[in-house]
Amino acid sequence: MADPADFGLQLDAWVAGPPEAVEWDTVTEFADVDRRIAAVAAEFASAVGVHDSRLLWRPAGGRPPAEEALAWLWVVRPDLIRAAAADAPERIPDSVRRLVQR
């Protein structure tokens, strides 16, 4: 298993400065991305735009709370969120955990 501190550092970096755009080749588990986008849109007031070469994220109301930034990470890297939930569950808020379990 990975060191939980590694997941914590990655999660902290993402929450501190989530990117507003990611290239498609950054997205893991691509076949399921539409479901993740719809789940995040239903849970949070953020919009995820789908373009030819990338995904765009527009959180409502300025700087998003950590839960919303982690939900965006789940859209892009569900593998990282699942690993963090398994190895450092205290780092993943209940709202994001519910998304992962859908």
Side-chain angles (χ1 to χ4, degrees):
M1 288 204 160
D3 182 355
D6 291 341
F7 291 121
L9 292 174
Q10 291 180 50
L11 296 176
D12 289 344
W14 187 277
V15 169
E20 291 185 1
V22 295
E23 301 299 317
W24 279 114
D25 61 357
T26 305
V27 177
T28 61
E29 300 177 30
F30 184 80
D32 199 32
V33 72
D34 290 337
R35 182 186 68 81
R36 295 192 308 270
I37 290 170
V40 168
E43 183 75 25
F44 298 97
S46 59
V48 176
V50 178
H51 293 273
D52 290 341
S53 63
R54 64 185 182 255
L55 286 175
L56 300 174
W57 179 55
R58 300 291 184 249
R63 184 175 171 88
E67 294 87 354
E68 191 172 349
L70 289 171
W72 169 231
L73 176 58
W74 177 66
V75 168
V76 177
R77 293 285 314 272
D79 57 324
L80 182 58
I81 290 291
R82 276 195 312 277
D87 289 346
E90 70 282 357
R91 301 303 309 256
I92 306 301
D94 289 340
S95 58
V96 176
R97 196 180 320 269
R98 283 191 301 273
L99 288 173
V100 173
Q101 294 172 349
R102 285 185 182 177

PDB file of all heavy atoms in Angstrom, residues 20-24 27 33-34 37-38 40-41 46-59 72 75-76:
ATOM      1  N   GLU A  20      -8.360  24.569 -13.501  1.00  0.00           N
ATOM      2  CA  GLU A  20      -9.664  24.831 -14.117  1.00  0.00           C
ATOM      3  C   GLU A  20      -9.843  24.057 -15.416  1.00  0.00           C
ATOM      4  O   GLU A  20     -10.953  23.981 -15.936  1.00  0.00           O
ATOM      5  CB  GLU A  20      -9.839  26.321 -14.359  1.00  0.00           C
ATOM      6  CG  GLU A  20      -9.986  27.098 -13.068  1.00  0.00           C
ATOM      7  CD  GLU A  20     -10.290  28.565 -13.301  1.00  0.00           C
ATOM      8  OE1 GLU A  20     -10.410  28.980 -14.472  1.00  0.00           O
ATOM      9  OE2 GLU A  20     -10.406  29.281 -12.307  1.00  0.00           O
ATOM     10  N   ALA A  21      -8.765  23.485 -15.918  1.00  0.00           N
ATOM     11  CA  ALA A  21      -8.837  22.688 -17.138  1.00  0.00           C
ATOM     12  C   ALA A  21      -7.843  21.540 -17.040  1.00  0.00           C
ATOM     13  O   ALA A  21      -6.770  21.696 -16.476  1.00  0.00           O
ATOM     14  CB  ALA A  21      -8.521  23.542 -18.364  1.00  0.00           C
ATOM     15  N   VAL A  22      -8.239  20.403 -17.565  1.00  0.00           N
ATOM     16  CA  VAL A  22      -7.336  19.254 -17.657  1.00  0.00           C
ATOM     17  C   VAL A  22      -7.491  18.635 -19.042  1.00  0.00           C
ATOM     18  O   VAL A  22      -8.591  18.596 -19.602  1.00  0.00           O
ATOM     19  CB  VAL A  22      -7.590  18.188 -16.557  1.00  0.00           C
ATOM     20  CG1 VAL A  22      -7.299  18.719 -15.185  1.00  0.00           C
ATOM     21  CG2 VAL A  22      -8.993  17.633 -16.625  1.00  0.00           C
ATOM     22  N   GLU A  23      -6.384  18.187 -19.574  1.00  0.00           N
ATOM     23  CA  GLU A  23      -6.397  17.508 -20.864  1.00  0.00           C
ATOM     24  C   GLU A  23      -7.020  16.128 -20.703  1.00  0.00           C
ATOM     25  O   GLU A  23      -6.929  15.509 -19.643  1.00  0.00           O
ATOM     26  CB  GLU A  23      -4.975  17.398 -21.406  1.00  0.00           C
ATOM     27  CG  GLU A  23      -4.280  18.741 -21.598  1.00  0.00           C
ATOM     28  CD  GLU A  23      -4.983  19.640 -22.592  1.00  0.00           C
ATOM     29  OE1 GLU A  23      -5.410  19.158 -23.665  1.00  0.00           O
ATOM     30  OE2 GLU A  23      -5.110  20.847 -22.296  1.00  0.00           O
ATOM     31  N   TRP A  24      -7.640  15.645 -21.774  1.00  0.00           N
ATOM     32  CA  TRP A  24      -8.295  14.337 -21.706  1.00  0.00           C
ATOM     33  C   TRP A  24      -7.336  13.219 -21.309  1.00  0.00           C
ATOM     34  O   TRP A  24      -7.736  12.279 -20.624  1.00  0.00           O
ATOM     35  CB  TRP A  24      -8.940  14.003 -23.058  1.00  0.00           C
ATOM     36  CG  TRP A  24     -10.266  14.669 -23.247  1.00  0.00           C
ATOM     37  CD1 TRP A  24     -10.565  15.630 -24.161  1.00  0.00           C
ATOM     38  CD2 TRP A  24     -11.467  14.420 -22.520  1.00  0.00           C
ATOM     39  NE1 TRP A  24     -11.877  16.007 -24.034  1.00  0.00           N
ATOM     40  CE2 TRP A  24     -12.457  15.276 -23.041  1.00  0.00           C
ATOM     41  CE3 TRP A  24     -11.813  13.578 -21.468  1.00  0.00           C
ATOM     42  CZ2 TRP A  24     -13.764  15.297 -22.564  1.00  0.00           C
ATOM     43  CZ3 TRP A  24     -13.106  13.602 -20.984  1.00  0.00           C
ATOM     44  CH2 TRP A  24     -14.064  14.456 -21.539  1.00  0.00           C
ATOM     45  N   VAL A  27      -7.267  12.257 -17.636  1.00  0.00           N
ATOM     46  CA  VAL A  27      -8.429  11.596 -17.042  1.00  0.00           C
ATOM     47  C   VAL A  27      -8.213  10.089 -17.036  1.00  0.00           C
ATOM     48  O   VAL A  27      -7.926   9.488 -18.072  1.00  0.00           O
ATOM     49  CB  VAL A  27      -9.716  11.949 -17.815  1.00  0.00           C
ATOM     50  CG1 VAL A  27     -10.921  11.210 -17.249  1.00  0.00           C
ATOM     51  CG2 VAL A  27      -9.942  13.457 -17.798  1.00  0.00           C
ATOM     52  N   VAL A  33     -16.380   8.493 -17.236  1.00  0.00           N
ATOM     53  CA  VAL A  33     -16.280   9.915 -16.907  1.00  0.00           C
ATOM     54  C   VAL A  33     -17.635  10.627 -16.995  1.00  0.00           C
ATOM     55  O   VAL A  33     -17.917  11.521 -16.204  1.00  0.00           O
ATOM     56  CB  VAL A  33     -15.197  10.629 -17.745  1.00  0.00           C
ATOM     57  CG1 VAL A  33     -15.620  10.809 -19.192  1.00  0.00           C
ATOM     58  CG2 VAL A  33     -14.837  11.963 -17.118  1.00  0.00           C
ATOM     59  N   ASP A  34     -18.484  10.248 -17.923  1.00  0.00           N
ATOM     60  CA  ASP A  34     -19.795  10.907 -18.033  1.00  0.00           C
ATOM     61  C   ASP A  34     -20.611  10.736 -16.758  1.00  0.00           C
ATOM     62  O   ASP A  34     -21.263  11.679 -16.300  1.00  0.00           O
ATOM     63  CB  ASP A  34     -20.586  10.369 -19.224  1.00  0.00           C
ATOM     64  CG  ASP A  34     -20.006  10.799 -20.563  1.00  0.00           C
ATOM     65  OD1 ASP A  34     -19.299  11.823 -20.604  1.00  0.00           O
ATOM     66  OD2 ASP A  34     -20.271  10.108 -21.566  1.00  0.00           O
ATOM     67  N   ILE A  37     -19.124  13.046 -14.085  1.00  0.00           N
ATOM     68  CA  ILE A  37     -19.482  14.445 -14.330  1.00  0.00           C
ATOM     69  C   ILE A  37     -20.912  14.712 -13.881  1.00  0.00           C
ATOM     70  O   ILE A  37     -21.192  15.707 -13.203  1.00  0.00           O
ATOM     71  CB  ILE A  37     -19.281  14.802 -15.819  1.00  0.00           C
ATOM     72  CG1 ILE A  37     -17.793  14.831 -16.170  1.00  0.00           C
ATOM     73  CG2 ILE A  37     -19.951  16.139 -16.149  1.00  0.00           C
ATOM     74  CD1 ILE A  37     -17.520  14.926 -17.657  1.00  0.00           C
ATOM     75  N   ALA A  38     -21.832  13.845 -14.233  1.00  0.00           N
ATOM     76  CA  ALA A  38     -23.240  14.023 -13.856  1.00  0.00           C
ATOM     77  C   ALA A  38     -23.418  13.975 -12.344  1.00  0.00           C
ATOM     78  O   ALA A  38     -24.189  14.765 -11.773  1.00  0.00           O
ATOM     79  CB  ALA A  38     -24.094  12.950 -14.529  1.00  0.00           C
ATOM     80  N   VAL A  40     -21.213  14.792  -9.987  1.00  0.00           N
ATOM     81  CA  VAL A  40     -20.670  16.013  -9.388  1.00  0.00           C
ATOM     82  C   VAL A  40     -21.604  17.187  -9.659  1.00  0.00           C
ATOM     83  O   VAL A  40     -21.853  18.011  -8.779  1.00  0.00           O
ATOM     84  CB  VAL A  40     -19.238  16.284  -9.889  1.00  0.00           C
ATOM     85  CG1 VAL A  40     -18.770  17.676  -9.520  1.00  0.00           C
ATOM     86  CG2 VAL A  40     -18.294  15.235  -9.314  1.00  0.00           C
ATOM     87  N   ALA A  41     -22.142  17.271 -10.862  1.00  0.00           N
ATOM     88  CA  ALA A  41     -23.075  18.357 -11.188  1.00  0.00           C
ATOM     89  C   ALA A  41     -24.322  18.288 -10.310  1.00  0.00           C
ATOM     90  O   ALA A  41     -24.859  19.324  -9.916  1.00  0.00           O
ATOM     91  CB  ALA A  41     -23.449  18.292 -12.659  1.00  0.00           C
ATOM     92  N   SER A  46     -21.199  23.260  -9.279  1.00  0.00           N
ATOM     93  CA  SER A  46     -20.131  23.528 -10.229  1.00  0.00           C
ATOM     94  C   SER A  46     -20.524  22.977 -11.593  1.00  0.00           C
ATOM     95  O   SER A  46     -21.375  22.102 -11.707  1.00  0.00           O
ATOM     96  CB  SER A  46     -18.819  22.896  -9.760  1.00  0.00           C
ATOM     97  OG  SER A  46     -18.960  21.516  -9.605  1.00  0.00           O
ATOM     98  N   ALA A  47     -19.910  23.512 -12.604  1.00  0.00           N
ATOM     99  CA  ALA A  47     -20.173  23.058 -13.958  1.00  0.00           C
ATOM    100  C   ALA A  47     -18.888  22.472 -14.533  1.00  0.00           C
ATOM    101  O   ALA A  47     -17.818  23.041 -14.363  1.00  0.00           O
ATOM    102  CB  ALA A  47     -20.644  24.212 -14.828  1.00  0.00           C
ATOM    103  N   VAL A  48     -19.025  21.353 -15.191  1.00  0.00           N
ATOM    104  CA  VAL A  48     -17.899  20.737 -15.879  1.00  0.00           C
ATOM    105  C   VAL A  48     -18.216  20.801 -17.365  1.00  0.00           C
ATOM    106  O   VAL A  48     -19.236  20.277 -17.814  1.00  0.00           O
ATOM    107  CB  VAL A  48     -17.686  19.278 -15.425  1.00  0.00           C
ATOM    108  CG1 VAL A  48     -16.565  18.632 -16.236  1.00  0.00           C
ATOM    109  CG2 VAL A  48     -17.380  19.216 -13.946  1.00  0.00           C
ATOM    110  N   GLY A  49     -17.359  21.491 -18.094  1.00  0.00           N
ATOM    111  CA  GLY A  49     -17.532  21.595 -19.532  1.00  0.00           C
ATOM    112  C   GLY A  49     -16.702  20.552 -20.248  1.00  0.00           C
ATOM    113  O   GLY A  49     -15.580  20.250 -19.843  1.00  0.00           O
ATOM    114  N   VAL A  50     -17.265  19.996 -21.295  1.00  0.00           N
ATOM    115  CA  VAL A  50     -16.595  18.963 -22.077  1.00  0.00           C
ATOM    116  C   VAL A  50     -16.234  19.564 -23.431  1.00  0.00           C
ATOM    117  O   VAL A  50     -17.098  20.057 -24.146  1.00  0.00           O
ATOM    118  CB  VAL A  50     -17.513  17.735 -22.243  1.00  0.00           C
ATOM    119  CG1 VAL A  50     -16.846  16.678 -23.103  1.00  0.00           C
ATOM    120  CG2 VAL A  50     -17.910  17.180 -20.887  1.00  0.00           C
ATOM    121  N   HIS A  51     -14.944  19.544 -23.761  1.00  0.00           N
ATOM    122  CA  HIS A  51     -14.439  20.078 -25.024  1.00  0.00           C
ATOM    123  C   HIS A  51     -13.632  19.001 -25.730  1.00  0.00           C
ATOM    124  O   HIS A  51     -13.335  17.952 -25.163  1.00  0.00           O
ATOM    125  CB  HIS A  51     -13.582  21.324 -24.764  1.00  0.00           C
ATOM    126  CG  HIS A  51     -14.403  22.469 -24.247  1.00  0.00           C
ATOM    127  ND1 HIS A  51     -15.037  23.347 -25.057  1.00  0.00           N
ATOM    128  CD2 HIS A  51     -14.710  22.833 -22.983  1.00  0.00           C
ATOM    129  CE1 HIS A  51     -15.700  24.220 -24.327  1.00  0.00           C
ATOM    130  NE2 HIS A  51     -15.507  23.938 -23.057  1.00  0.00           N
ATOM    131  N   ASP A  52     -13.266  19.285 -26.958  1.00  0.00           N
ATOM    132  CA  ASP A  52     -12.536  18.304 -27.763  1.00  0.00           C
ATOM    133  C   ASP A  52     -11.281  17.793 -27.083  1.00  0.00           C
ATOM    134  O   ASP A  52     -11.015  16.602 -27.090  1.00  0.00           O
ATOM    135  CB  ASP A  52     -12.148  18.904 -29.115  1.00  0.00           C
ATOM    136  CG  ASP A  52     -13.354  19.115 -30.019  1.00  0.00           C
ATOM    137  OD1 ASP A  52     -14.405  18.488 -29.766  1.00  0.00           O
ATOM    138  OD2 ASP A  52     -13.249  19.906 -30.970  1.00  0.00           O
ATOM    139  N   SER A  53     -10.495  18.685 -26.504  1.00  0.00           N
ATOM    140  CA  SER A  53      -9.194  18.279 -25.978  1.00  0.00           C
ATOM    141  C   SER A  53      -9.097  18.308 -24.460  1.00  0.00           C
ATOM    142  O   SER A  53      -8.085  17.888 -23.912  1.00  0.00           O
ATOM    143  CB  SER A  53      -8.090  19.173 -26.553  1.00  0.00           C
ATOM    144  OG  SER A  53      -8.292  20.519 -26.128  1.00  0.00           O
ATOM    145  N   ARG A  54     -10.147  18.797 -23.773  1.00  0.00           N
ATOM    146  CA  ARG A  54     -10.025  18.923 -22.321  1.00  0.00           C
ATOM    147  C   ARG A  54     -11.374  19.042 -21.630  1.00  0.00           C
ATOM    148  O   ARG A  54     -12.388  19.260 -22.258  1.00  0.00           O
ATOM    149  CB  ARG A  54      -9.164  20.129 -21.983  1.00  0.00           C
ATOM    150  CG  ARG A  54      -9.756  21.433 -22.423  1.00  0.00           C
ATOM    151  CD  ARG A  54      -8.801  22.596 -22.163  1.00  0.00           C
ATOM    152  NE  ARG A  54      -9.425  23.821 -22.557  1.00  0.00           N
ATOM    153  CZ  ARG A  54      -9.146  24.510 -23.652  1.00  0.00           C
ATOM    154  NH1 ARG A  54      -8.221  24.073 -24.464  1.00  0.00           N
ATOM    155  NH2 ARG A  54      -9.768  25.629 -23.918  1.00  0.00           N
ATOM    156  N   LEU A  55     -11.310  18.921 -20.311  1.00  0.00           N
ATOM    157  CA  LEU A  55     -12.445  19.186 -19.433  1.00  0.00           C
ATOM    158  C   LEU A  55     -12.204  20.528 -18.761  1.00  0.00           C
ATOM    159  O   LEU A  55     -11.080  20.827 -18.347  1.00  0.00           O
ATOM    160  CB  LEU A  55     -12.542  18.121 -18.334  1.00  0.00           C
ATOM    161  CG  LEU A  55     -13.044  16.749 -18.706  1.00  0.00           C
ATOM    162  CD1 LEU A  55     -12.952  15.821 -17.499  1.00  0.00           C
ATOM    163  CD2 LEU A  55     -14.468  16.811 -19.188  1.00  0.00           C
ATOM    164  N   LEU A  56     -13.245  21.314 -18.628  1.00  0.00           N
ATOM    165  CA  LEU A  56     -13.165  22.603 -17.940  1.00  0.00           C
ATOM    166  C   LEU A  56     -14.043  22.548 -16.702  1.00  0.00           C
ATOM    167  O   LEU A  56     -15.146  22.009 -16.735  1.00  0.00           O
ATOM    168  CB  LEU A  56     -13.645  23.735 -18.852  1.00  0.00           C
ATOM    169  CG  LEU A  56     -12.881  23.920 -20.147  1.00  0.00           C
ATOM    170  CD1 LEU A  56     -13.555  24.979 -21.000  1.00  0.00           C
ATOM    171  CD2 LEU A  56     -11.447  24.302 -19.867  1.00  0.00           C
ATOM    172  N   TRP A  57     -13.561  23.130 -15.642  1.00  0.00           N
ATOM    173  CA  TRP A  57     -14.291  23.145 -14.366  1.00  0.00           C
ATOM    174  C   TRP A  57     -14.543  24.581 -13.964  1.00  0.00           C
ATOM    175  O   TRP A  57     -13.619  25.395 -13.913  1.00  0.00           O
ATOM    176  CB  TRP A  57     -13.479  22.422 -13.309  1.00  0.00           C
ATOM    177  CG  TRP A  57     -14.090  22.386 -11.949  1.00  0.00           C
ATOM    178  CD1 TRP A  57     -15.340  21.928 -11.630  1.00  0.00           C
ATOM    179  CD2 TRP A  57     -13.480  22.767 -10.732  1.00  0.00           C
ATOM    180  NE1 TRP A  57     -15.538  22.013 -10.274  1.00  0.00           N
ATOM    181  CE2 TRP A  57     -14.401  22.532  -9.697  1.00  0.00           C
ATOM    182  CE3 TRP A  57     -12.237  23.287 -10.397  1.00  0.00           C
ATOM    183  CZ2 TRP A  57     -14.127  22.790  -8.374  1.00  0.00           C
ATOM    184  CZ3 TRP A  57     -11.965  23.549  -9.080  1.00  0.00           C
ATOM    185  CH2 TRP A  57     -12.901  23.297  -8.080  1.00  0.00           C
ATOM    186  N   ARG A  58     -15.800  24.881 -13.662  1.00  0.00           N
ATOM    187  CA  ARG A  58     -16.188  26.224 -13.240  1.00  0.00           C
ATOM    188  C   ARG A  58     -16.959  26.140 -11.923  1.00  0.00           C
ATOM    189  O   ARG A  58     -18.164  25.970 -11.928  1.00  0.00           O
ATOM    190  CB  ARG A  58     -17.064  26.901 -14.304  1.00  0.00           C
ATOM    191  CG  ARG A  58     -16.394  27.064 -15.640  1.00  0.00           C
ATOM    192  CD  ARG A  58     -15.276  28.092 -15.570  1.00  0.00           C
ATOM    193  NE  ARG A  58     -14.693  28.303 -16.870  1.00  0.00           N
ATOM    194  CZ  ARG A  58     -13.482  27.925 -17.205  1.00  0.00           C
ATOM    195  NH1 ARG A  58     -12.727  27.290 -16.356  1.00  0.00           N
ATOM    196  NH2 ARG A  58     -13.003  28.174 -18.395  1.00  0.00           N
ATOM    197  N   PRO A  59     -16.250  26.245 -10.803  1.00  0.00           N
ATOM    198  CA  PRO A  59     -16.962  26.223  -9.519  1.00  0.00           C
ATOM    199  C   PRO A  59     -17.791  27.501  -9.359  1.00  0.00           C
ATOM    200  O   PRO A  59     -17.401  28.563  -9.826  1.00  0.00           O
ATOM    201  CB  PRO A  59     -15.845  26.156  -8.487  1.00  0.00           C
ATOM    202  CG  PRO A  59     -14.646  26.705  -9.180  1.00  0.00           C
ATOM    203  CD  PRO A  59     -14.820  26.416 -10.647  1.00  0.00           C
ATOM    204  N   TRP A  72     -14.073  17.307  -7.938  1.00  0.00           N
ATOM    205  CA  TRP A  72     -13.478  17.557  -9.255  1.00  0.00           C
ATOM    206  C   TRP A  72     -12.313  16.605  -9.486  1.00  0.00           C
ATOM    207  O   TRP A  72     -12.148  16.043 -10.576  1.00  0.00           O
ATOM    208  CB  TRP A  72     -13.068  19.015  -9.338  1.00  0.00           C
ATOM    209  CG  TRP A  72     -12.211  19.450 -10.490  1.00  0.00           C
ATOM    210  CD1 TRP A  72     -11.060  20.167 -10.378  1.00  0.00           C
ATOM    211  CD2 TRP A  72     -12.411  19.261 -11.892  1.00  0.00           C
ATOM    212  NE1 TRP A  72     -10.534  20.429 -11.628  1.00  0.00           N
ATOM    213  CE2 TRP A  72     -11.345  19.877 -12.583  1.00  0.00           C
ATOM    214  CE3 TRP A  72     -13.381  18.611 -12.644  1.00  0.00           C
ATOM    215  CZ2 TRP A  72     -11.230  19.874 -13.962  1.00  0.00           C
ATOM    216  CZ3 TRP A  72     -13.270  18.604 -14.031  1.00  0.00           C
ATOM    217  CH2 TRP A  72     -12.213  19.239 -14.677  1.00  0.00           C
ATOM    218  N   VAL A  75     -13.607  13.341 -10.616  1.00  0.00           N
ATOM    219  CA  VAL A  75     -13.939  13.311 -12.044  1.00  0.00           C
ATOM    220  C   VAL A  75     -12.695  12.970 -12.854  1.00  0.00           C
ATOM    221  O   VAL A  75     -12.724  12.136 -13.747  1.00  0.00           O
ATOM    222  CB  VAL A  75     -14.539  14.667 -12.511  1.00  0.00           C
ATOM    223  CG1 VAL A  75     -14.615  14.741 -14.040  1.00  0.00           C
ATOM    224  CG2 VAL A  75     -15.913  14.896 -11.895  1.00  0.00           C
ATOM    225  N   VAL A  76     -11.581  13.599 -12.514  1.00  0.00           N
ATOM    226  CA  VAL A  76     -10.347  13.460 -13.283  1.00  0.00           C
ATOM    227  C   VAL A  76      -9.569  12.204 -12.907  1.00  0.00           C
ATOM    228  O   VAL A  76      -9.098  11.469 -13.776  1.00  0.00           O
ATOM    229  CB  VAL A  76      -9.461  14.712 -13.077  1.00  0.00           C
ATOM    230  CG1 VAL A  76      -8.130  14.575 -13.791  1.00  0.00           C
ATOM    231  CG2 VAL A  76     -10.198  15.969 -13.530  1.00  0.00           C
TER     232      VAL A  76
END
